[in-house]
């Protein structure tokens, strides 16, 4: 019998843990919710969710001393998936707040510029253009796949090679996902993105254990 992949969902007080946990479990993972470094390190993969404001998230991560823990896990090649604010905190700074980010990835977080008729926050379904079409996170997905966003800020990576997908809000292209080595992060919410989002979660789970048989298309 195949081993069930274990995913640690980082609990630092600002994540949408319930929806993320349900999505991961639906795709075959055994999920543990924790902020303990030993528990995170023992899992096959780690998911860093997040909703809310940048500074509040950084403060919560600092209270639990999770910044150095996450940096160490990334340095050691632990598969990690950031979601929404869990993407933004990986960068060096944000226009939303005053506190420095974790700095695991070079770059900053920007606010959408105002333009006539543009709604901020960007909320709803939008399409992905794959900057890294061979990124394993996109296995089984078609170009132009639709995913669900809720955000007013977006990441601007210093290294364009880190950009794995782009979307457009108004006339503004923005980074919708990044990928570097065994670190992946998305601005959208895969747990709210129907079949496409479930496939992304399924792909990440498969990546944590190197089992390509797990990436068959997710059921409707």
């Amino acid at each position: 019998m195949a081993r069930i992949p274990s995913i640690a969902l980082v609990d630092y007080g600002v994540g949408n843990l319930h929806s993320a946990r349900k999505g991961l479990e639906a795709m075959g993972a055994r999920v543990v919710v924790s902020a303990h470094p030993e528990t995170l390190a023992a899992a096959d993969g780690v998911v860093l969710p997040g909703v809310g404001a940048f500074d509040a998230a950084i403060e919560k991560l600092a209270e639990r001393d999770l910044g150095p823990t996450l940096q160490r896990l990334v340095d050691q090649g632990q598969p990690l998936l950031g979601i929404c604010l869990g993407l933004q905190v990986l960068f060096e700074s944000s226009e939303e707040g005053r506190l420095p980010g974790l700095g695991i990835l070079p770059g900053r977080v920007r606010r959408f510029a105002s333009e006539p008729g543009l709604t901020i926050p960007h909320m709803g379904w939008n399409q992905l253009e794959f900057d890294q079409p061979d990124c394993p996170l996109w296995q089984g997905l078609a170009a132009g796949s639709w995913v669900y966003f809720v955000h007013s800020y977006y990441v601007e990576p210093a290294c364009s090679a880190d950009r794995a997908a782009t979307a457009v809000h108004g006339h503004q292209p923005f980074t919708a996902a990044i990928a570097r080595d065994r670190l992946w992060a998305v601005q959208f919410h895969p747990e709210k993105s129907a079949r496409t989002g479930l496939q992304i979660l399924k792909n990440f789970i498969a990546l944590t254990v190197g089992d390509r048989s797990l990436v068959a298309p997710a059921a409707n």
Side-chain angles (χ1 to χ4, degrees), residues 36-76:
H36 296 294
E38 297 82 4
T39 302
L40 304 184
D44 293 313
V46 174
V47 172
L48 179 67
V51 292
F54 186 89
D55 278 3
I58 291 297
E59 288 173 348
K60 293 291 187 182
L61 288 165
E63 287 172 6
R64 294 159 174 80
D65 198 31
L66 281 170
T69 296
L70 293 169
Q71 179 71 71
R72 183 168 60 252
L73 294 177
V74 170
D75 290 344
Q76 293 172 350

Side-chain angles (χ1 to χ4, degrees), residues 151-219:
H151 65 120
S152 299
Y153 296 81
Y154 62 93
V155 300
E156 186 177 73
C159 180
S160 61
D162 290 340
R163 187 179 299 112
T166 301
V168 179
H169 185 43
H171 295 93
Q172 303 174 53
F174 67 91
T175 298
I178 62 95
R180 176 189 281 197
D181 300 324
R182 292 171 68 79
L183 170 61
W184 300 273
V186 298
Q187 182 60 68
F188 53 89
H189 287 272
E191 75 280 8
K192 297 180 180 179
S193 297
R195 183 177 180 179
T196 294
L198 291 177
Q199 183 66 48
I200 291 169
L201 294 179
K202 191 177 186 72
N203 290 341
F204 175 71
I205 293 166
L207 289 166
T208 67
V209 292
D211 187 350
R212 305 303 294 173
S213 68
L214 294 176
V215 299

Side-chain angles (χ1 to χ4, degrees), residues 122 124-128 144-149 166-170 174:
H122 171 220
W125 295 87
N126 207 333
Q127 290 181 283
L128 297 176
S145 291
W146 292 83
V147 291
Y148 190 81
F149 291 87
T166 301
V168 179
H169 185 43
F174 67 91

Side-chain angles (χ1 to χ4, degrees), residues 6-10 30-34 39-41 43-48:
S6 64
I7 301 296
L9 192 58
V10 183
R30 177 175 58 84
V31 178
V32 58
V33 178
S34 179
T39 302
L40 304 184
D44 293 313
V46 174
V47 172
L48 179 67

